[in-house]
Amino acid sequence: MRVRCAGHGFFQRQSVSLRLGVRAYGWSLLLAACVCPVAAQAPANFAAVELGRSRDCVGILARVERLNAQLAPFAERSQRLLAIGQAVTLEEREVMDSLRSSDPVEARVHAWFVADGQLAQQYVASRTPALIEQRSVAKDSVEAMLRAELEGLQAGADSVLASTGTLGQEAGNCSGAVFIRPAVLESCQSVESPVCEAARDSARVADFRFVDSADVLWGLQELRAWSAPGALQVSSTGQLGGARTVGLTRAANVVVTLAFGPRLRRRANLTSSETTHTTALIDSLGFGGSHPEVLFTPSLAVQATLPTALGGETRYVLHFGTPEEADILWAADAGTGAPIEGMIDLGPAQLSKLQAGEPLALTALRPTSTGANEPVYSIELTSLNQEPAVGTLIAYMAAQLGSDLAQLIPPAPAQPPSPSPR
């Protein structure tokens, strides 16, 4: 198995397979509560952005429902063939009774089970080695047929998805959103959508969440505690995972995710300057860098659903402390049309603050006439369980991570020195 560790991305993007995967209902939380607004007054563009989102998502979610109906036969068929393929691999003959003779693929699988059973009986009677090879070839043929059928289904589903254009990106703007009910109802007068029935019945516990105004939405903040970290491990796809803790904060429909853990990079992919800087940082933290191929640094990844500037801001900063006396870790441009994201290697002082449970904040800044920057709004990010989760990972990085890396990514054998010419 090839282990991939470059960057050790904390936010792995999952490929779409047969379903668009859009979820439009409420966010799953460990803690949800209305708390003090992120700013006393909503930013100037906030109401327009959220009213537009609520109106647009009525039609978008209707298109998603139609798409999912188109993809459902592909998904159902692929799930059935995957189950049959598993039965073939394990030679579980019990599946034979459920195979449909009217389906050419399933009929062939049934015929293979019958023929394989006969070959097995012949082998028991004669112990002829050629029968083992015959069984193996026949099984490989059936498994290849099933793989080809699944690939054809995936191609068909991909073709349907491709025909939707930007729907996947548009639907992401609606996934998990809290909608403004009057704006939804306005759009529902001309478009029927899964969200409409829920919006019309305010007493119904629905898959969608609503507020009555943009002002109420701006005052909504929800927190998820930092998750309990585990050890570094290799997934079935060959990716390194684990060894991280994640905390999430929602302010209105802005979702900010922080992930802390080791950032893994292969030495071969670093410049000499990067290697020198990274080694110095590791040494200053006392973590060591004994693996000959991989270096790791304690890092913080950030993502925020802020494609549009809400109040004329031009920059976002992630920081400790108040906006007026901020210890800034990272900055990003506003209004890019995409979620913001970044990765920050943490030095001793920043790591100490994070481990102590000091909360982080994301602040939007706009320039003033004097050339300075002023805060437009600031979102204080969750610090629930931050101290123990971060502390556990720091201890793991200092004591155990190096050994785990050596096991998961065994260093290449040292090359013997070239013989010197005589």
Side-chain angles (χ1 to χ4, degrees), residues 60-123:
I60 290 170
L61 292 172
R63 291 163 59 198
V64 169
E65 185 178 52
R66 291 194 295 270
L67 174 60
N68 282 340
Q70 287 180 273
L71 291 175
F74 293 98
E76 292 167 2
R77 176 67 169 158
S78 66
Q79 289 167 5
R80 179 169 177 83
L81 291 183
L82 285 169
I84 292 172
Q86 180 75 0
V88 170
T89 299
L90 300 177
E91 299 181 10
E92 293 178 340
R93 301 176 60 83
E94 293 82 0
V95 76
M96 292 176 64
D97 292 340
S98 66
L99 295 174
R100 297 175 291 212
S101 59
S102 59
D103 184 301
V105 172
E106 296 187 27
R108 182 176 169 188
V109 173
H110 187 280
W112 170 79
F113 270 115
V114 172
D116 186 69
Q118 293 171 349
L119 289 173
Q121 290 177 350
Q122 292 176 31
Y123 177 76

Side-chain angles (χ1 to χ4, degrees), residues 282-337:
I282 294 171
D283 290 343
S284 71
L285 295 167
F287 287 172
S290 58
H291 197 289
E293 298 175 17
V294 179
L295 289 173
F296 66 88
T297 51
S299 299
L300 189 68
V302 56
Q303 279 189 344
T305 55
L306 276 166
T308 305
L310 300 179
E313 68 266 24
T314 60
R315 297 281 280 171
Y316 300 110
V317 292
L318 181 71
H319 60 90
F320 291 110
T322 64
E324 294 75 19
E325 299 179 351
D327 175 7
I328 297 175
L329 279 69
W330 172 81
D333 292 333
T336 63

Side-chain angles (χ1 to χ4, degrees), residues 153-356:
L153 288 169
Q154 185 65 63
D158 289 343
S159 177
V160 172
L161 285 170
S163 69
T164 65
T166 60
L167 180 58
Q169 181 180 351
E170 295 173 68
N173 199 40
C174 307
S175 181
V178 179
F179 299 120
I180 300 173
R181 192 186 302 273
V184 170
L185 293 174
E186 176 187 335
S187 292
C188 287
Q189 294 177 12
S190 57
V191 178
E192 192 55 41
S193 170
V195 72
C196 293
E197 184 178 351
R200 293 185 185 112
D201 186 356
S202 59
R204 177 185 174 193
V205 178
D207 290 338
F208 302 95
R209 302 171 64 198
F210 303 93
V211 293
D212 292 328
S213 69
D215 289 339
V216 174
L217 179 57
W218 180 245
L220 176 67
Q221 189 172 39
E222 301 172 333
L223 309 173
R224 175 179 288 180
W226 289 70
S227 60
L232 194 70
Q233 55 189 310
V234 180
S235 71
S236 58
T237 61
Q239 296 280 1
L240 282 175
R244 68 172 182 171
T245 177
V246 181
L248 291 93
T249 301
R250 176 197 284 276
N253 278 325
V254 178
V255 178
V256 185
T257 307
L258 296 175
F260 171 72
R263 182 184 184 189
L264 308 178
R265 286 176 290 180
R266 290 192 178 273
R267 295 175 186 266
N269 296 335
L270 300 178
T271 65
S272 58
S273 176
E274 289 172 331
T275 301
T276 300
H277 171 76
T278 302
T279 302
L281 175 59
I282 294 171
D283 290 343
S284 71
L285 295 167
F287 287 172
S290 58
H291 197 289
E293 298 175 17
V294 179
L295 289 173
F296 66 88
T297 51
S299 299
L300 189 68
V302 56
Q303 279 189 344
T305 55
L306 276 166
T308 305
L310 300 179
E313 68 266 24
T314 60
R315 297 281 280 171
Y316 300 110
V317 292
L318 181 71
H319 60 90
F320 291 110
T322 64
E324 294 75 19
E325 299 179 351
D327 175 7
I328 297 175
L329 279 69
W330 172 81
D333 292 333
T336 63
I340 63 171
E341 58 183 14
M343 179 84 76
I344 313 110
D345 288 337
L346 301 179
Q350 298 165 333
L351 195 60
S352 178
K353 289 183 178 182
L354 193 70
Q355 184 178 8

